[in-house]
Amino acid sequence: MREQSFWSAPMLRWAAAAIVVFNGFFPAVWILFTSLKTETELVQKPITWWPENPMLGNYVRAFIDQPLLHYLKNSVIVATGATVLSLLVAAFAAYAIARLNLKRRELILTCIVASSMFPLVTLLVPIFETMRALGWLNTYMALILPYVVLNLPVCTLVLVSFFQSIPRDLENAAMIDGCTRLGALWHVVVPLAAPGVFTAGILAFVNSWDEFLLALSLNSSPGARTLPVGIALYQGEFTFPWPIISAALIVAIVPVAILIAIFQERVVGGLTQGGLKG
């Protein structure tokens, strides 16, 4: 009887949820503890989980050893710009797919999904050559435009599922009242699809914030580096200052964590509704 109760569906769900939560939070908690330790305490045996004498000096060193604040500013500008442009272009594309009588619509959606499956490393050389030809290397646009292209498939697919769920009668009523189709999109469809817009925006922002390969290859000058590339520079040829690196990682995690915490309900609702409607 006990075995049946333990392996029941609710217990399995709780166990699966606990595994997911542990897998998601444990690395971040471990990085936080590491950022509060000294290098001596970090290598001592047996391993201490909680820092014996928590110190904030590693955070001060993280900002002194590298221009972390400048890297943070670059990441904010690049991620925000890429997110805004991704949502703008994806809204037009999703509306066209959801509302216009396009031939072979399913094929278009299949191509959008397929385009997101190419490994980024295979696109690196063409993107680099394009940005060099345009003279945009070591600029914000060198990262913003490629990030828009990379974010478009997921943003478009999320918005298509939401736009399809909005009754056409609402748009027709707005156009009868004198609104253009473009006006109906921005004043009727987009506000009603707000959960989907927030979901797509958060996904685009996080993807742009975390990206490393293009940021390393396209913006190599010190003034144009983003946060992931800047954090990688704390590592020396023979030294690995893990407490300082961990402090910098916490600084990189905090903005995304705050953003997700603020819009948590909308993001969760958007993912759930998008899954049901798609």
Side-chain angles (χ1 to χ4, degrees), residues 259-270:
L259 190 65
I260 294 176
I262 294 174
F263 299 109
Q264 177 183 3
E265 293 185 3
R266 288 184 177 270
V267 173
V268 173

Side-chain angles (χ1 to χ4, degrees), residues 26-43 47-59 240-250:
F26 178 76
V29 173
W30 181 253
I31 292 172
L32 176 61
F33 288 168
T34 302
S35 70
L36 299 174
K37 295 179 179 181
T38 63
E39 292 191 28
T40 303
E41 185 180 357
L42 189 63
V43 298
I47 296 175
T48 57
W49 296 91
W50 181 262
E52 296 177 359
N53 298 304
M55 55 177 294
L56 297 177
N58 293 323
Y59 289 88
F240 294 86
W242 292 119
I244 300 174
I245 294 175
S246 298
L249 288 172
I250 293 296

Side-chain angles (χ1 to χ4, degrees), residues 141-269:
M141 292 305 296
L143 294 180
I144 290 177
L145 290 185
Y147 289 171
V148 170
V149 175
L150 295 176
N151 290 329
L152 273 179
V154 64
C155 290
T156 302
L157 291 175
V158 169
L159 292 180
V160 164
S161 65
F162 277 87
F163 288 176
Q164 286 177 331
S165 67
I166 298 173
R168 293 175 181 264
D169 294 340
L170 298 176
E171 299 166 63
N172 294 334
M175 287 188 283
I176 290 174
D177 290 338
C179 193
T180 63
R181 181 173 288 276
L182 184 61
L185 168 63
W186 293 115
H187 297 295
V188 178
V189 178
V190 171
L192 291 176
V197 174
F198 277 100
T199 301
I202 293 295
L203 293 175
F205 186 88
V206 172
N207 288 339
S208 303
W209 184 269
D210 292 339
E211 201 282 325
F212 179 80
L213 182 59
L214 288 180
L216 177 64
S217 304
L218 302 178
N219 284 10
S220 57
S221 70
R225 289 171 183 153
T226 56
L227 204 53
V229 177
I231 292 175
L233 297 177
Y234 285 95
Q235 172 184 322
E237 185 177 359
F238 302 105
T239 60
F240 294 86
W242 292 119
I244 300 174
I245 294 175
S246 298
L249 288 172
I250 293 296
V251 172
I253 292 171
V254 166
V256 176
I258 293 175
L259 190 65
I260 294 176
I262 294 174
F263 299 109
Q264 177 183 3
E265 293 185 3
R266 288 184 177 270
V267 173
V268 173

Side-chain angles (χ1 to χ4, degrees), residues 54-93:
M55 55 177 294
L56 297 177
N58 293 323
Y59 289 88
V60 177
R61 287 280 307 278
F63 282 93
I64 293 176
D65 290 1
Q66 294 288 342
L68 190 63
L69 197 60
H70 183 73
Y71 299 153
L72 185 63
K73 182 197 74 172
N74 289 343
S75 287
V76 169
I77 293 174
V78 168
T80 303
T83 300
V84 172
L85 285 178
S86 297
L87 292 178
L88 182 65
V89 178
F92 286 113

Side-chain angles (χ1 to χ4, degrees), residues 107-118 153 157:
L107 178 61
I108 295 174
L109 290 174
T110 301
C111 291
I112 291 175
V113 174
S115 66
S116 65
M117 296 182 180
F118 286 97
L157 291 175

